[in-house]
Amino acid sequence: KRSEKPFTDWQEQRDADGALTLLRRTPQTESGRTDALTLTPRLNWKLADGDTLSWQSFAYLRRVDNLARADETALLGTHSEYPHNDANFIANFVMLRSDLQWTHLLADGAKLETKLGASTNRRSGTFDFHGRDADGKPLGRHHVDSGPMENTITSTGTYRHPVSEQHAIAVGWDASHAVRSDDRN
């Protein structure tokens, strides 16, 4: 279902003496629709000797479709560059992430926890603008395709060794590598 939001924009300009030199009234309508889906599956396994293995993923899919329309009337002064215009923005978002975690119990109560993860985050968008003059004749069209994409791999881990009943020594790592690209045409 589309949500619709009408509003009116007023623009005025005055000279140094305060006299009105420009007055424009622009009724506008914005409408949009957003659809989204989120999935978060998780599986846990208990292995021999108390070890555990966990797999958790996250998927987020979203589509945005926004329309805007403006119809300007110059009540005093000239019109703007595109007094009548329509714009449409459509974007698709995809976020995927998956993590695998292994916990291994060692001798003397020590424990090794490791996690390996991978994710991708992508957006593709299209923007179309159609501008018309005061008589409704086409003046300009702008079309833009754009979208960033980022892929990431992560690795974390911790080794814990108890030194008493209430204390432990912990050593760990946290590493990641990400590659991002962005395009705009």
Side-chain angles (χ1 to χ4, degrees):
K1 180 181 177 198
R2 273 194 179 279
S3 64
E4 193 166 293
K5 182 174 77 171
F7 61 96
T8 300
D9 186 31
W10 287 89
Q11 182 180 8
E12 67 177 52
Q13 186 175 336
R14 297 180 182 274
D15 64 17
D17 297 325
L20 191 63
T21 59
L22 177 74
L23 181 61
R24 295 178 184 150
R25 179 182 178 272
T26 310
Q28 299 181 52
T29 303
E30 291 181 358
S31 67
R33 178 183 175 135
T34 300
D35 298 302
L37 173 68
T38 303
L39 301 170
T40 56
R42 180 181 176 99
L43 295 172
N44 296 310
W45 295 273
K46 290 192 181 221
L47 306 174
D49 301 324
D51 287 9
T52 60
L53 189 63
S54 299
W55 170 75
Q56 182 170 345
S57 289
F58 173 79
Y60 175 69
L61 309 171
R62 181 175 162 208
R63 179 178 172 85
V64 175
D65 185 350
N66 288 327
L67 295 169
R69 179 180 182 95
D71 290 303
E72 171 190 295
T73 301
L75 301 170
L76 178 64
T78 61
H79 284 283
S80 63
E81 186 176 3
Y82 302 108
H84 304 288
N85 61 71
D86 298 293
N88 184 222
F89 174 70
I90 297 173
N92 294 296
F93 302 85
V94 176
M95 287 176 50
L96 304 172
R97 184 177 68 231
S98 189
D99 295 313
L100 186 62
Q101 182 172 343
W102 175 51
T103 302
H104 178 62
L105 300 179
L106 301 165
D108 301 328
K111 183 181 356 178
L112 177 65
E113 295 177 325
T114 61
K115 187 192 305 189
L116 183 62
S119 66
T120 186
N121 188 354
R122 302 170 186 226
R123 179 185 61 80
S124 61
T126 301
F127 177 75
D128 278 303
F129 175 86
H130 298 274
R132 297 178 307 283
D133 68 11
D135 296 323
K137 294 179 188 164
L139 276 181
R141 179 175 186 258
H142 305 282
H143 177 84
V144 179
D145 289 318
S146 64
M149 177 176 60
E150 185 170 315
N151 295 314
T152 306
I153 295 175
T154 59
S155 174
T156 60
T158 306
Y159 170 77
R160 296 184 202 293
H161 185 78
V163 291
S164 70
E165 202 172 293
Q166 297 178 357
H167 299 284
I169 293 176
V171 178
W173 73 89
D174 187 346
S176 66
H177 176 73
V179 176
R180 180 180 170 90
S181 64
D182 203 335
D183 65 87
R184 182 178 173 89
N185 300 312

